[in-house]
Amino acid sequence: MTPVELSRTVLHAVRRAVDAGELSVAVPAHAVVAPPGPGGAGDYATNIALQLARPAGQPALRVAEVLRTHLACAEGVTGVEITGPGFLNISLDQQAAATALVQRIRRDGMRYGHGDSLAGQVYEVRLPFEVRAEVLADALSRIVASQGGRVSAHHLASQTPRLAPQDGRVSTPHGEPHREIRTPADQPGGDTRTPADQPGGDTRTPHPDSDGSTRPTRSPEAAPFELRPHPAPEDPTPLGLDAACWALLHPAPHDRPRITADHLVQRESNPLFRVRYAHARTRALGRNAADLGFTAEPGGVGGQQELPVPLPLLSLLSLLADYPRVLATVAALPRAEGVAAPSRLARHLVALADATLLLLPVVLPLGEEKPSAAHRARLALAEAAGTVLAGGLSLLGIDAPDHL
């Protein structure tokens, strides 16, 4: 269960409490869930009871007690504990959550994390004739498209902006295309829809969803904004397309990018190499497993369904589950948080690659060991990680080769 899915579960609990007459409140647009802080417990915590206490006219602890009853019955939830003034601490069935997450990524493919929370939203971006601004605008356009929105980009020297056409390419005012943008319609495989109740600014109004909860939507019009990242100190073209994009996107927009040959080095000190290597290794594992006569099958990655998930795998699962939220941060445009979405995505991919590399040694059976359900489940997890790495790189305009 991803944080977004858990947020929807919390909202469903509020809806059930309202329908049962236990609470008299409007169901909020979204519920914030996050890892518990000091003194907390479980896998995630939410302050929804504190948020609803005043409109419900009841103490936060009483609201928390009401919601705990409904949350405890939710699928995938193994326990709910109340701490402090009314925080709900939620424990999840780790094995079931891991299996469901891997199944979802396998179903959605490279569209995992895509959604329609920005459907109908058009961002008008003005940018200078500068290579980093161009590359950043391209990446933002891809990520916005992954959430259902579109970008209208034009240079500051022009007075006639052009809207990105239906084929997913952003055009300059003179009709010269920027680099191609892979929109949800262009990506292969899977359903593009993800939960739509992702945070994305304070200008949205809630609308009822099909399940009775509410989700935020945006006005289709947004004020134009200028995109002025720290310019590239020199021409990145000699690095090649992939390394140049990474060199310009990995640092935060306000940081000075490094245009050096370090981005071409095939070793662990190069973050881009680690990301692409981790992806290539997950693809190689699939080929190796086929040679050994077994295939991927989501299941208990801990070895047995009743055993807890090992800590290194929990880190990987957490990063996979958090990927949709990372993409959704682009909804904060034109604020700095939204402009930094490509940089945030690049850094998330590095963390995901490092966690994936820790999994790889335990995927295939060793020596005389026979392939087990755990091996098939870990292979499915590794392949899911590879899919997310490839999808993230494609949003940055970077290739993810199967052989490296």
Side-chain angles (χ1 to χ4, degrees), residues 154-379:
H154 69 282
H155 292 100
L156 290 170
S158 172
Q159 301 300 319
T160 56
R162 290 172 59 92
L163 188 65
Q166 295 296 334
D167 63 0
R169 297 171 69 86
V170 168
S171 297
T172 67
H174 307 292
E176 298 176 0
H178 294 289
R179 297 179 331 103
E180 183 176 355
I181 298 169
R182 300 174 188 177
T183 65
D186 300 323
Q187 299 280 9
D191 181 9
T192 63
R193 294 187 179 270
T194 56
D197 54 344
Q198 302 176 11
D202 52 9
T203 62
R204 299 172 291 176
T205 55
H207 293 271
D209 209 346
S210 58
D211 56 11
S213 64
T214 57
R215 67 169 183 163
T217 59
R218 284 180 168 269
S219 166
E221 298 181 0
F225 68 95
E226 293 186 7
L227 195 61
R228 289 187 176 274
H230 192 295
E234 57 187 284
D235 182 12
T237 304
L239 296 178
L241 179 60
D242 291 333
C245 286
W246 183 269
L248 298 174
L249 295 175
H250 181 255
H254 60 270
D255 290 338
R256 185 177 188 269
R258 293 185 307 106
I259 310 300
T260 69
D262 292 344
H263 297 292
L264 302 175
V265 174
Q266 303 282 300
R267 61 170 67 111
E268 291 183 2
S269 60
N270 180 3
L272 174 59
F273 171 74
R274 294 207 306 275
V275 173
R276 300 175 84 185
Y277 176 74
H279 167 264
R281 287 293 300 132
T282 63
R283 297 299 178 248
L285 284 173
R287 298 191 295 269
N288 297 152
D291 292 339
L292 295 174
F294 75 99
T295 58
E297 182 179 340
V301 295
Q304 297 180 23
Q305 199 66 29
E306 65 272 12
L307 293 180
V309 178
L311 286 178
L313 301 191
L314 279 178
S315 175
L316 174 57
L317 290 164
S318 177
L319 290 165
L320 290 173
D322 201 37
Y323 179 77
R325 183 198 62 80
V326 173
L327 296 186
T329 60
V330 77
L333 283 172
R335 300 197 306 271
E337 180 185 358
V339 175
S343 172
R344 187 176 296 105
L345 173 58
R347 288 181 276 114
H348 190 82
L349 294 178
V350 174
L352 178 58
D354 291 341
T356 302
L357 291 171
L358 294 177
L359 164 69
L360 302 185
V362 299
V363 171
L364 299 178
L366 302 176
E368 299 299 321
E369 190 178 10
K370 300 297 183 182
S372 65
H375 291 116
R376 291 190 289 272
R378 291 169 190 162
L379 177 60

Side-chain angles (χ1 to χ4, degrees), residues 3 58 67 78 110 117 133 135 142 188 211 214 265 299 323 327-328 358:
Q58 300 185 41
L67 295 180
T78 59
M110 288 176 61
S117 60
V135 171
R142 289 186 179 89
D211 56 11
T214 57
V265 174
Y323 179 77
L327 296 186
L358 294 177

Side-chain angles (χ1 to χ4, degrees), residues 1-147:
M1 184 181 297
T2 68
V4 171
E5 290 169 334
L6 182 57
S7 175
R8 292 174 68 87
T9 299
V10 172
L11 293 179
H12 292 165
V14 175
R15 169 60 62 190
R16 289 192 295 270
V18 170
D19 292 344
E22 298 171 301
L23 293 177
S24 180
V25 295
V27 179
H30 70 280
V32 177
V33 296
D43 299 303
Y44 291 97
T46 178
N47 65 347
I48 190 68
L50 300 172
Q51 179 182 342
L52 297 178
R54 182 183 294 272
Q58 300 185 41
L61 286 174
R62 169 59 185 160
V63 176
E65 288 285 355
V66 170
L67 295 180
R68 177 168 66 174
T69 303
H70 295 283
L71 273 174
C73 301
E75 183 178 359
V77 175
T78 59
V80 182
E81 181 180 346
I82 300 173
T83 60
F87 292 105
L88 288 163
N89 294 257
I90 305 168
S91 298
L92 302 177
D93 183 337
Q94 295 176 347
Q95 293 285 16
T99 300
L101 176 62
V102 173
Q103 288 173 335
R104 178 181 172 190
I105 296 173
R106 287 165 64 88
R107 182 188 71 241
D108 292 354
M110 288 176 61
R111 293 180 175 181
Y112 170 66
H114 293 205
D116 60 359
S117 60
L118 296 181
Q121 177 76 12
V122 178
Y123 295 97
E124 185 176 335
V125 182
R126 299 172 179 173
L127 61 150
F129 286 93
E130 192 275 325
V131 62
R132 192 182 189 198
E134 297 273 3
V135 171
L136 180 57
D138 240 10
L140 285 171
S141 298
R142 289 186 179 89
I143 301 174
V144 167
S146 78
Q147 304 304 301

Side-chain angles (χ1 to χ4, degrees), residues 28 128 346 403:
H403 301 269

